[in-house]
């Protein structure tokens, strides 16, 4: 419970960290439905809203946008679903998997001579805690997650969304995994 309270406190504190995005009816003119609760958005809208918010932050800091990678999306989606199924909210999967092992299993590291992987996870319900903006602001209020978002060495991304919240067991929320990667062949 303490962790959930800390997460909520970080979320509320992080609302002041970002400039306001013009919106109405839960929609931002630039990034889609970033303020809508998961129950009012498709998985595609949730994924693209997260990416838009991340790339807008990178742009504000002079960092190139991330490029979509299907293997990273496969890894991210599988991890989000696994967290919801198991009720475990962690970078480690129920069987002990790590971001790197999941990305390797999805094929992203095939023939890579060097690589870097990073992962942000988030979950919540409703507009206040489960919207793409709420999760993004939570990440930007956390030094490690913010560093991943603004790391210019990370080039590729995959966003996974699963319906449900492993923190509360509710089906009314969403669980997000954003996997970042960079590799050389």
């Amino acid at each position: 419970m303490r962790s959930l309270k800390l997460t909520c406190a970080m979320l509320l504190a992080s609302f002041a960290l970002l400039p306001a995005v013009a919106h109405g009816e839960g929609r931002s003119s630039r990034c889609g439905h970033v303020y809508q609760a998961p129950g009012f958005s498709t998985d595609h809208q949730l994924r693209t809203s997260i990416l838009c918010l991340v790339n807008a932050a990178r742009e504000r800091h002079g960092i190139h946008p991330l490029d979509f990678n299907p293997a990273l999306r496969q890894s991210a989606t599988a991890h989000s679903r696994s967290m919801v199924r198991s009720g475990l909210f962690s970078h480690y999967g129920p069987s002990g998997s790590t971001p790197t092992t999941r990305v390797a299993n999805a094929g992203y590291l095939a023939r890579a001579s060097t690589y870097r992987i990073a992962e942000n996870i988030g979950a919540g319900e409703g507009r206040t805690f489960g919207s793409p903006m709420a999760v993004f602001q939570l990440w930007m209020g956390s030094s490690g997650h913010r560093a991943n978002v603004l790391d210019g060495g990370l080039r590729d991304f995959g966003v996974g969304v699963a319906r449900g919240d492993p923190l509360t067991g509710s089906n009314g929320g969403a669980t997000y995994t954003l996997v970042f990667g960079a590799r050389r062949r």
Side-chain angles (χ1 to χ4, degrees), residues 5-139:
K5 286 181 182 177
L6 177 60
T7 299
C8 292
M10 286 175 52
L11 176 64
L12 293 174
S14 67
F15 279 118
L17 293 176
L18 296 175
V21 176
H23 69 284
E25 303 280 327
R27 183 171 170 78
S28 160
S29 61
R30 181 174 180 184
C31 288
H33 302 288
V34 298
Y35 292 98
Q36 281 189 340
F40 296 98
S41 298
T42 67
D43 289 355
H44 177 74
Q45 289 169 330
L46 296 173
R47 284 191 307 267
T48 57
S49 292
I50 287 287
L51 173 63
C52 183
L53 291 166
V54 167
N55 277 339
R58 291 169 71 91
E59 181 182 316
R60 282 192 302 276
H61 287 85
I63 303 165
H64 60 83
L66 294 168
D67 294 321
F68 172 74
N69 182 278
L72 294 181
R73 179 173 164 193
Q74 176 186 345
S75 174
T77 300
H79 188 55
S80 289
R81 289 178 180 162
S82 174
M83 286 190 287
V84 170
R85 262 193 323 272
S86 67
L88 178 68
F89 184 72
S90 174
H91 291 286
Y92 295 96
S95 63
S97 68
T98 66
T100 302
T101 59
R102 290 189 295 273
V103 165
N105 289 338
Y108 180 75
L109 301 180
R111 298 179 308 280
S113 61
T114 62
Y115 63 88
R116 290 184 53 219
I117 302 297
E119 179 180 85
N120 287 4
I121 58 174
E125 296 179 54
R127 182 178 182 179
T128 305
F129 298 106
S131 69
M133 180 60 84
V135 170
F136 175 74
Q137 288 182 324
L138 179 65
W139 290 341

